[in-house]
């Protein structure tokens, strides 16, 4: 096999990196994940993720983790409401959706990010992930790479996979292409114990998701398994909004005042999210890699997930693409069809970048629609056509 006696370094232990590690280790490869988080207990923020049959769930099935997924997903969390800024309901599938419908391509079961990470970590041999490893730079050494981390000894690997997300430091070793700003910024908040802290929103959410649209702005949210809510205020803004807004994201009153000024026509029910969110709020300017159908085909270096093709989250494809990348890369690297690792990487990249280009375009188009004056009508048309 191509990977015999090869040390593989996966930099970044997010969903993409951990899925790849699980799949490669399952095929007997010598793989190590280097992750910046201090340890496996680091809190994973963000609202739940929906996994898709042909990508995220396919990767889990290949890794033998579908049973673990079924034990940990959030039944009913895929049910959604589409509302306007006054919380008037225009669409609900709470009554029509069946709870468990695996195998149906329209069934997109939700899972907490933390639960998904735990499933993948539990599947790996102990010590596969090296925590508190903040990658800084690397240089070629013999047939492989010498990787340097902050306050750590340097390490050699024959093959390096960049899986460290949107701000990848390894990407520039592969390409000079950089993500561009999409014109959309999201402000993330998390409300702990939503039943107590935001009872009205909790009741409206009813264990599912809400998409609220009004005046070219929106609020998106999802119920987590532990009773928390993850929410995002999403709006058009200049690229430097994070600093030019001069907001202190640790100051609830400041952020609340910003919300009332930026979402002036929105009902007070939404303000309760900002009044009770845990601090700090997290601003997330949304970037996208240009779709260039690249195929870099380097001998011992490639990337996957957001490092390769960060895209806006408006088609729910990011994590699914990262997991499908992991599945396809693991298959290419362990296949007997290729004469060299370089050929396996080239074949993987060719498929990955053309697939990701389509998903990125869909995400960009949805982002435009969701922040347009007709956002509510667009989203109603989209969901009622399913
Ligand atoms: C606001 C928002 C909402 C989203 N909602 C959805 C959604 O609903 N559905 C969906 O499918 N996708 C969604 N996404 C996208 C999704 O989060 C990403 O596509 C997905 O997490 C990509 O996985 P990844 O493994 O490539 O990268 P990441 O999940 O970003 O993981 C990268 C890992 O690398 C580590 N790391 C970073 N730098 C270093 C370093 N220097 N050294 C070592 N380790 C490092 C990080 O700590 C992290 O663990 C959303 C994104 C955003 C911003």
């Amino acid at each position: 096999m191509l990977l015999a006696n090869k040390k593989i370094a996966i930099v970044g232990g997010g969903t993409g990196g951990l899925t790849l590690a699980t799949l490669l280790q399952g095929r007997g490869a010598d793989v190590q994940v280097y992750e910046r988080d201090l340890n496996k207990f680091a809190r994973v923020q963000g609202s739940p993720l929906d996994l898709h049959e042909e990508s995220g769930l396919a990767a889990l099935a290949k890794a033998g983790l579908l049973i673990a997924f079924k034990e940990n997903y959030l039944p009913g969390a895929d049910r959604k409401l589409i509302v306007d800024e006054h919380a008037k309901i225009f669409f609900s599938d709470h009554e029509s959706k069946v709870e468990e419908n695996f195998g149906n391509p329209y069934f997109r079961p939700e899972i907490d990010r933390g639960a998904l990470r735990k499933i993948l970590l539990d599947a790996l041999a102990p010590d596969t992930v090296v925590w508190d490893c903040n990658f800084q730079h690397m240089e070629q050494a013999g047939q492989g790479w010498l990787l340097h981390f902050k306050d750590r000894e340097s390490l050699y690997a024959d093959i390096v996979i960049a899986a460290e997300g949107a701000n990848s430091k390894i990407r520039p070793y592969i390409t000079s292409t950089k993500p561009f700003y999409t014109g959309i910024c999201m402000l993330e908040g998390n409300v702990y114990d939503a039943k107590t802290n935001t009872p009205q929103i909790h009741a409206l959410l009813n264990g599912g998701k809400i998409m609220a649209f009004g005046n070219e702005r929106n609020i998106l949210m999802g119920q987590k398994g532990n009773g928390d809510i993850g929410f995002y205020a999403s709006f058009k803004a200049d690229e430097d909004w994070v600093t030019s807004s001069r907001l202190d994201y640790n100051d609830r009153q400041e952020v609340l005042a910003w919300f009332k000024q930026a979402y002036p026509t929105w009902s007070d029910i939404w303000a309760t999210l900002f009044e009770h969110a845990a601090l700090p709020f997290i601003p997330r300017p949304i970037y996208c890699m240009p779709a260039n159908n690249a195929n870099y085909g380097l001998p011992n270096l490639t990337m996957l997930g957001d490092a390769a093709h960060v895209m806006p989250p408006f088609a729910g494809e990011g994590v699914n693409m990262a997991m499908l990348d992991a599945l396809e890369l693991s298959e290419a690297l362990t296949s007997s069809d290729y004469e060299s690792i370089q050929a396996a990487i080239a074949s993987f990249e060719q498929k990955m970048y053309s697939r990701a280009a389509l998903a990125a375009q869909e995400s960009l188009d949805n982002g435009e629609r969701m922040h347009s004056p007709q956002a509510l009508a667009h989203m109603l048309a989209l969901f009622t056509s399913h």
Side-chain angles (χ1 to χ4, degrees):
M1 124 158 155
L2 291 173
L3 299 181
N5 303 317
K6 301 284 184 202
K7 273 187 177 308
I8 305 168
I10 299 173
V11 181
T15 313
L18 292 178
T19 305
L20 179 65
T22 310
L23 289 163
L24 285 178
Q25 202 168 68
R27 303 270 185 110
D30 175 1
V31 56
Q32 213 73 76
V33 179
Y34 300 102
E35 166 56 43
R36 183 179 59 183
D37 282 351
L38 288 187
N39 55 48
K40 65 178 180 182
F41 303 108
R43 183 183 273 275
V44 186
Q45 296 283 18
S47 89
L49 298 163
D50 57 307
L51 296 197
H52 305 173
E53 187 70 24
E54 68 290 354
S55 45
L57 291 174
L60 287 180
K62 193 77 186 183
L65 295 175
L66 216 42
I67 291 174
F69 178 82
K70 288 179 182 178
E71 287 167 359
N72 284 278
Y73 85 106
L74 301 169
D78 58 325
R79 294 174 185 179
K80 73 183 80 50
L81 294 181
I82 299 181
V83 303
D84 69 4
E85 70 261 49
H86 309 296
K88 181 176 170 197
I89 298 171
F90 286 80
F91 173 88
S92 165
D93 60 10
H94 278 255
E95 301 306 321
S96 56
K97 273 217 156 164
V98 285
E99 216 159 72
E100 179 168 322
N101 205 359
F102 286 94
N104 178 336
Y106 292 110
F107 179 52
R108 296 185 158 187
E110 301 266 341
I111 187 162
D112 280 333
R113 286 172 184 258
L116 182 57
R117 189 182 229 191
K118 185 166 184 309
I119 289 173
L120 293 165
L121 286 173
D122 288 350
L124 288 166
D127 303 328
T128 303
V129 180
V130 188
W131 300 94
D132 195 12
C133 260
N134 189 342
F135 173 88
Q136 300 295 297
H137 58 97
M138 63 187 193
E139 72 237 5
Q140 276 185 305
Q143 300 295 305
W145 294 90
L146 193 61
L147 292 89
H148 303 284
F149 299 89
K150 193 172 175 205
D151 303 329
R152 284 260 180 181
E153 267 183 35
S154 302
L155 293 156
Y156 173 82
D158 297 295
I159 303 168
V160 174
I161 316 289
E164 1 84 283
N167 300 316
S168 170
K169 285 187 180 153
I170 299 180
R171 187 191 294 130
Y173 294 85
I174 300 174
T175 173
S176 56
T177 307
K178 290 184 181 150
F180 63 89
Y181 179 58
T182 61
I184 295 169
C185 190
M186 299 174 92
L187 185 62
E188 177 180 336
N190 289 276
V191 177
Y192 300 154
D193 186 10
K195 192 173 180 184
T196 309
N197 287 316
T198 52
Q200 257 187 300
I201 295 268
H202 177 262
L204 189 65
L205 196 55
N206 194 13
K209 296 154 96 83
I210 295 177
M211 305 171 84
F213 299 97
N215 284 336
E216 300 175 44
R217 293 167 183 270
N218 52 69
I219 296 182
L220 314 169
M221 72 184 78
Q223 173 80 60
K224 300 194 205 183
N226 62 0
D228 298 352
I229 289 176
F231 73 91
Y232 306 101
S234 185
F235 49 93
K236 290 206 165 167
D238 289 341
E239 186 169 10
D240 66 353
W241 181 85
V242 175
T243 48
S244 66
S245 70
R246 296 183 177 276
L247 282 176
D248 175 353
Y249 300 100
N250 262 305
D251 185 326
R252 187 174 291 112
Q253 290 312 317
E254 254 190 42
V255 177
L256 177 63
W258 165 81
F259 171 70
K260 289 185 171 172
Q261 169 261 314
Y263 284 65
T265 57
W266 286 57
S267 135
D268 286 345
I269 187 177
W270 309 109
T272 60
L273 289 167
F274 292 82
E275 285 160 3
H276 295 280
L279 296 174
F281 291 88
I282 309 164
R284 297 195 185 277
I286 301 301
Y287 284 83
C288 186
M289 273 294 267
N292 55 2
N293 291 327
N295 176 356
Y296 304 111
L298 296 177
N300 51 17
L301 175 62
T302 189
M303 48 189 177
L304 57 69
D306 278 10
H309 48 62
V310 61
M311 63 185 73
F314 304 115
E317 286 290 358
V319 91
N320 287 286
M321 288 292 107
M323 294 175 83
L324 186 52
D325 295 348
L327 174 57
E328 291 182 354
L329 179 55
S330 69
E331 288 188 336
L333 288 174
T334 54
S335 158
S336 53
D337 292 350
Y338 303 106
E339 279 183 356
S340 65
I341 290 168
Q342 183 163 20
I345 287 177
S347 165
F348 155 71
E349 288 183 347
Q350 197 179 13
K351 262 203 257 171
M352 170 183 67
Y353 285 111
S354 49
R355 162 169 58 71
L358 295 177
Q361 194 54 54
E362 186 191 351
S363 306
L364 286 166
D365 292 346
N366 280 352
E368 274 309 308
R369 286 187 202 109
M370 288 169 71
H371 297 82
S372 75
Q374 300 80 28
L376 183 61
H378 280 312
M379 297 314 283
L380 289 173
L382 181 71
F383 282 103
T384 48
S385 71
H386 274 186

